[in-house]
């Protein structure tokens, strides 16, 4: 099958209001989801995964694990909305996955197995054993290179946490690099996440110095809101597209969080928006002859929220206060949509 026929077969072709009806566009979804402790039931040497064993504090057994896989795959299957319901996201960044075993089990789940998702995961140094990973539909994204950059703490070389998973490949026939993140938690002070922001910015600057046309998408649980210093200053992501240069970074979640009051997790009754997808400036613009950013959204259907009790209105978690709730995650997924004109 030639590339044109494959594109027409796989991609949703849409006509946008305000554009010539003679033009057609392919729509792509890129998503991120913190899966909140996707652990199997087997101990991995060198990892502090004891809570997620049958004898651990969560009494984590095969039934709970299989329920977790079913619930997470169900959410993944619904990302992308009605327009992309048959194929879903082209790429999904994940946080808090334990190993290859859980990823193998995840992609085989009934709600998503027909999409033939593949994954990229490189074992990191996090002491709890939670890593970042990238799921992708090989019909839509073709990876060419992957690398895990370690998080470096210049003040304490013994400090180990999640690194930055950098994956490059072809999306819509264009060279795109994805950087999947899970920055230090709020248990650490702001400088820890500012350090992460500077290191990710150094990675993006290095990539663009070698290829100034490369499109970059930074996604992850940044453990900071769009207004925080780690993102606005250290990473240098801008809240507006006005005057944006191709090598700048744009954070569309500033408006979502500040103006619309929408978040991805709740703490002490207040929303935060830690789960962000930030794009390089060359993905912004009206010229859709090349791949461009269209819009963004938090995936937050009603069934993903707790309906009663002290935490009514919070995202429905797998476990809370030692009680198994058989929910999803303490984080909501985020997604952006990209568009490109096709013949």
């Amino acid at each position: 099958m030639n590339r044109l026929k494959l594109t027409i077969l796989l991609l949703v072709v849409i006509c946008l209001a305000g554009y010539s009806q003679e033009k057609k566009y392919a729509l792509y979804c890129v998503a991120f989801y913190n899966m909140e402790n996707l652990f199997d039931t087997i101990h991995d040497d060198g990892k502090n995964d004891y809570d997620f064993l049958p004898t651990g504090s969560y009494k984590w057994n095969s039934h709970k694990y299989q329920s977790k896989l079913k619930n997470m795959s169900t959410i993944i299957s619904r990302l992308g909305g009605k327009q992309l319901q048959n194929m879903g996201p082209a790429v999904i960044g994940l946080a808090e996955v334990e190993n290859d075993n859980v990823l193998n089990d995840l992609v085989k789940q009934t709600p998503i197995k027909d999409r033939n998702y593949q994954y990229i995961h490189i074992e990191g140094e996090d002491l709890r054993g939670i890593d970042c990973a990238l799921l992708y539909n090989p019909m839509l994204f073709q990876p060419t290179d992957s690398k895990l950059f370690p998080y470096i703490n210049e003040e304490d070389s013994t400090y180990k946490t999640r690194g930055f998973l950098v994956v490059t490949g072809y999306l819509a026939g264009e060279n795109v690099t994805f950087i999947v993140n899970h920055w230090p938690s709020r248990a650490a002070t702001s400088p820890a996440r500012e350090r992460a922001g500077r290191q990710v910015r150094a990675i993006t600057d290095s990539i663009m110095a070698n290829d100034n046309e490369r499109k970059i998408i930074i996604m992850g649980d940044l453990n900071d809101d769009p207004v925080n210093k780690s993102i606005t200053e250290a990473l240098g992501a801008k809240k507006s597209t006005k005057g944006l240069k191709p090598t700048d970074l744009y954070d569309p979640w500033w408006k979502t969080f500040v103006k619309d009051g929408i978040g991805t997790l709740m703490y002490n009754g207040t929303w935060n928006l830690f789960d962000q997808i930030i794009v390089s400036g060359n993905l912004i613009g009206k010229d859709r002859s090349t791949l461009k950013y269209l819009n963004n959204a938090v995936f937050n259907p009603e069934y993903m929220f707790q309906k009663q009790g002290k935490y009514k209105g919070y995202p429905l978690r797998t476990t809370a206060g030692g009680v198994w709730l058989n929910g999803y995650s303490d984080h909501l997924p985020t997604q952006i949509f990209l568009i490109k004109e096709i013949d």
Side-chain angles (χ1 to χ4, degrees):
M1 184 180 296
N2 65 43
R3 189 175 186 83
L4 176 59
K5 290 182 179 178
L6 183 63
T7 300
I8 293 175
L9 175 65
L10 289 174
L11 301 181
V12 175
V13 178
I14 59 173
C15 292
L16 296 180
Y19 288 88
S20 167
Q21 293 301 304
E22 296 179 359
K23 292 185 177 181
K24 294 181 179 180
Y25 301 87
L27 185 69
Y28 301 83
C29 177
V30 171
F32 173 78
Y33 197 10
N34 181 324
M35 310 206 83
E36 192 194 13
N37 297 320
L38 182 55
F39 282 85
D40 59 24
T41 62
I42 303 166
H43 173 59
D44 285 3
D45 289 342
K47 292 185 178 180
N48 185 13
D49 59 0
Y50 298 103
D51 286 340
F52 290 90
L53 299 177
T55 57
S57 62
Y58 292 106
K59 306 294 186 211
W60 197 244
N61 55 33
S62 294
H63 172 67
K64 292 179 180 178
Y65 175 52
Q66 292 300 324
S67 295
K68 174 78 169 180
L69 289 168
K70 178 183 177 181
N71 291 349
M72 306 316 283
S73 62
T74 297
I75 298 303
I76 290 173
S77 74
R78 295 172 182 174
L79 296 175
K82 292 182 179 180
Q83 290 176 307
L84 294 172
Q85 62 183 347
N86 294 325
M87 67 198 71
V91 171
I92 310 166
L94 303 178
E96 295 200 16
V97 296
E98 184 184 17
N99 51 32
D100 283 357
N101 183 44
V102 301
L103 290 163
N104 269 315
D105 290 343
L106 178 65
V107 299
K108 293 175 183 175
Q109 296 299 301
T110 299
I112 58 174
K113 67 179 181 180
D114 289 344
R115 295 180 184 172
N116 193 32
Y117 278 123
Q118 308 295 303
Y119 66 85
I120 294 173
H121 165 248
I122 300 173
E123 198 67 44
E125 297 180 316
D126 185 80
L127 297 179
R128 282 187 57 214
I130 53 173
D131 297 323
C132 295
L134 190 82
L135 293 188
Y136 65 94
N137 184 329
M139 302 297 284
L140 302 175
F141 176 69
Q142 298 80 43
T144 57
D145 183 66
S146 61
K147 183 176 181 179
L148 183 68
F149 287 80
Y151 172 89
I152 299 172
N153 187 338
E154 302 91 343
E155 299 173 359
D156 181 5
S157 61
T158 65
Y159 180 80
K160 305 296 182 185
T161 191
R162 287 82 54 178
F164 315 112
L165 180 63
V166 180
V167 180
T168 297
Y170 288 94
L171 178 65
E174 299 186 25
N175 210 5
V176 180
T177 293
F178 295 93
I179 306 176
V180 189
N181 301 259
H182 189 182
W183 290 1
S185 75
R186 284 285 176 109
T189 58
S190 179
R193 292 179 295 282
E194 293 167 32
R195 188 177 297 114
R198 287 192 296 272
Q199 290 175 28
V200 173
R201 185 62 197 233
I203 293 170
T204 64
D205 287 347
S206 176
I207 291 169
M208 288 190 165
N210 292 318
D211 180 2
N212 60 13
E213 295 185 357
R214 181 81 58 85
K215 292 175 176 176
I216 296 176
I217 298 176
I218 300 165
M219 64 174 90
D221 174 0
L222 308 183
N223 271 303
D224 265 337
D225 293 316
V227 299
N228 290 132
K229 189 175 179 180
S230 64
I231 297 162
T232 60
E233 296 184 23
L235 183 62
K238 301 181 182 300
K239 67 180 182 181
S240 171
T241 59
K242 186 177 180 180
L244 198 71
K245 299 176 183 177
T247 55
D248 286 337
L249 298 175
Y250 170 60
D251 187 354
W253 303 96
W254 188 91
K255 179 181 180 297
T256 305
F257 180 64
V258 175
K259 293 190 175 181
D260 301 335
I262 296 173
T264 57
L265 72 157
M266 186 173 278
Y267 181 71
N268 285 340
T270 300
W271 281 106
N272 292 104
L273 205 162
F274 291 172
D275 307 86
Q276 298 169 54
I277 306 174
I278 295 167
V279 301
S280 54
N282 54 11
L283 276 162
I284 303 300
K286 295 182 179 180
D287 177 11
R288 267 79 186 233
S289 64
T290 64
L291 194 65
K292 289 293 190 293
Y293 165 84
L294 180 64
N295 55 33
N296 65 307
V298 175
F299 185 76
N300 55 3
E302 289 187 5
Y303 60 81
M304 292 187 72
F305 293 89
Q306 197 154 324
K307 298 297 189 295
Q308 57 188 2
K310 178 181 178 181
Y311 297 107
K312 180 180 179 181
Y314 283 59
L316 181 59
R317 305 178 60 166
T318 301
T319 302
V323 178
W324 184 56
L325 302 177
N326 194 22
Y328 305 97
S329 171
D330 56 343
H331 291 246
L332 300 171
T334 47
Q335 49 194 349
I336 64 169
F337 294 89
L338 305 172
I339 189 172
K340 184 176 181 180
E341 184 179 347
I342 60 175
D343 295 332

